[in-house]
Amino acid sequence: MSMILSASVVRVRDGLPLSASTDYEQSAGVQECRKYFKTLAKRLSQLPDRCTLQAGHYNINFISSLGVSYMMLCTENYPSVLAFSFLDELQKEYISTYNMMKTNTAVRPYCFIEFDNFIQRTKQRYNNPRSLSTKINLADMQTEIRLRPPYQISLSDLGSANGYAHISLPEYKGTGKISTAPHQRLEPVTLSGIVSFVLSLLCGALNLIRGFHAIESLLQCYLFVYCTGWRNIKSFLTFGLICLCNMYLYELRNLWQIFFHVTVGAFSTLQIRLRQPQGKSADYNV
């Protein structure tokens, strides 16, 4: 019998599970697929925004959008168009229910476990095709899948070292690849990021009379806002330059001024490192 067995919502940045359906299936095949779930969740930031993994008699499908991934496990004969339509419904409901700021700042696993109620209701509808009405437009999804099919991950791409903790994927050249090109969008700004940005601007304003020294703080602001090549390395080099310039100005500043500028530089560097590129929006007419 073709059916959806389980589903989960995972943060792309670090694989933190945000919500999941209650999984009643305890077969060996499903237990094995749970390992694949955990492995894929840890590497979502390196995967295309729409993928399928065929694991024996089961398929794992997922889509990623706006820093969140929606994953589901189904039997191998479950129609792909229904699988991705199911994930599309989860995505729309999650985006309309939860603020992305809360998603980005979540620290506890399954902190949105109440979303399981919607997952269960939707799973029951999709497991009973007769209950599916004209509320879903499968024609649009069929066209989307035909024009841009999901990237197929094979079991050979999964490494067995450390309990399936490593994935070695071939280079993906489709539209869903997550890259670090200059036009790549970054994750939404957090409160700490805003604070570091304002402090960097303040340091830049305080250093205007020193010319070149002001450029370092402004460069940190630029790296925080825009995604560029070698972004993390540039941020560390900029912080190193801030430290060197403050050493050069040691006789012109007291220790508190130097401590303030270096601390702000270190804090801004950390925020640049934490604000990573987000996955491409899956363009499911949200």
Side-chain angles (χ1 to χ4, degrees):
M1 180 180 178
S2 62
M3 62 185 302
I4 297 173
L5 300 175
S6 63
S8 62
V9 181
V10 179
R11 188 165 61 191
V12 171
R13 184 178 74 232
D14 52 8
L16 179 74
L18 302 172
S19 185
S21 62
T22 304
D23 193 353
Y24 299 104
E25 181 65 42
Q26 300 296 327
S27 67
V30 172
Q31 293 292 337
E32 191 73 9
C33 286
R34 288 195 183 119
K35 297 180 181 179
Y36 302 145
F37 251 75
K38 293 178 181 178
T39 302
L40 292 171
K42 293 178 181 178
R43 304 300 294 274
L44 285 170
S45 61
Q46 303 175 18
L47 296 170
D49 60 2
R50 184 192 300 167
C51 295
T52 295
L53 168 65
Q54 296 179 344
H57 298 296
Y58 305 95
N59 287 342
I60 296 176
N61 304 293
F62 66 86
I63 60 175
S64 300
S65 175
L66 302 176
V68 179
S69 186
Y70 310 86
M71 311 178 70
M72 57 94 75
L73 173 67
C74 62
T75 54
E76 61 177 341
N77 55 351
Y78 193 81
S80 294
V81 64
L82 288 180
F84 285 100
S85 181
F86 168 77
L87 293 174
D88 184 43
E89 284 204 34
L90 296 190
Q91 175 185 250
K92 290 178 179 177
E93 181 67 18
Y94 185 88
I95 291 176
S96 63
T97 303
Y98 298 104
N99 186 296
M100 288 296 104
M101 181 70 73
K102 292 183 179 180
T103 298
N104 291 326
T105 56
V107 295
R108 292 187 300 107
Y110 304 106
C111 56
F112 303 133
I113 192 62
E114 68 277 1
F115 190 70
D116 173 41
N117 295 328
F118 178 81
I119 295 177
Q120 294 289 8
R121 292 196 305 269
T122 309
K123 186 174 72 171
Q124 290 175 2
R125 283 200 302 115
Y126 276 82
N127 282 340
N128 182 12
R130 293 181 180 179
S131 67
L132 291 176
S133 62
T134 55
K135 291 181 179 180
I136 62 174
N137 189 345
L138 296 181
D140 289 346
M141 185 59 67
Q142 285 176 329
T143 302
E144 175 73 13
I145 292 177
R146 185 176 66 254
L147 295 177
R148 195 167 67 90
Y151 178 69
Q152 299 292 323
I153 305 173
S154 65
L155 287 177
S156 61
D157 295 327
L158 299 181
S160 58
N162 298 323
Y164 298 94
H166 175 68
I167 298 179
S168 178
L169 289 174
E171 183 178 1
Y172 178 71
K173 297 182 179 179
T175 56
K177 181 178 180 181
I178 298 176
S179 66
T180 55
H183 61 273
Q184 178 73 30
R185 294 183 61 184
L186 295 169
E187 294 176 345
V189 181
T190 61
L191 178 60
S192 57
I194 295 175
V195 172
S196 71
F197 183 81
V198 173
L199 290 175
S200 293
L201 286 179
L202 176 61
C203 287
L206 293 174
N207 290 314
L208 282 177
I209 60 173
R210 310 209 180 268
F212 177 76
H213 192 26
I215 298 177
E216 305 148 11
S217 299
L218 298 179
L219 179 58
Q220 282 196 319
C221 293
Y222 176 82
L223 293 174
F224 179 76
V225 174
Y226 296 102
C227 184
T228 65
W230 304 93
R231 180 166 168 266
N232 290 332
I233 294 178
K234 290 178 181 177
S235 66
F236 285 115
L237 291 177
T238 302
F239 175 63
L241 193 58
I242 290 175
C243 294
L244 290 175
C245 288
N246 277 279
M247 290 176 61
Y248 178 76
L249 297 172
Y250 178 76
E251 296 181 355
L252 301 177
R253 288 177 171 172
N254 59 45
L255 291 178
W256 284 110
Q257 290 176 316
I258 294 176
F259 176 77
F260 174 75
H261 284 83
V262 173
T263 302
V264 170
F267 183 53
S268 297
T269 301
L270 175 62
Q271 293 305 312
I272 293 171
R273 179 67 182 86
L274 293 177
R275 193 183 184 206
Q276 295 297 310
Q278 67 181 17
K280 178 185 174 183
S281 176
D283 192 18
Y284 290 138
N285 298 321
V286 176

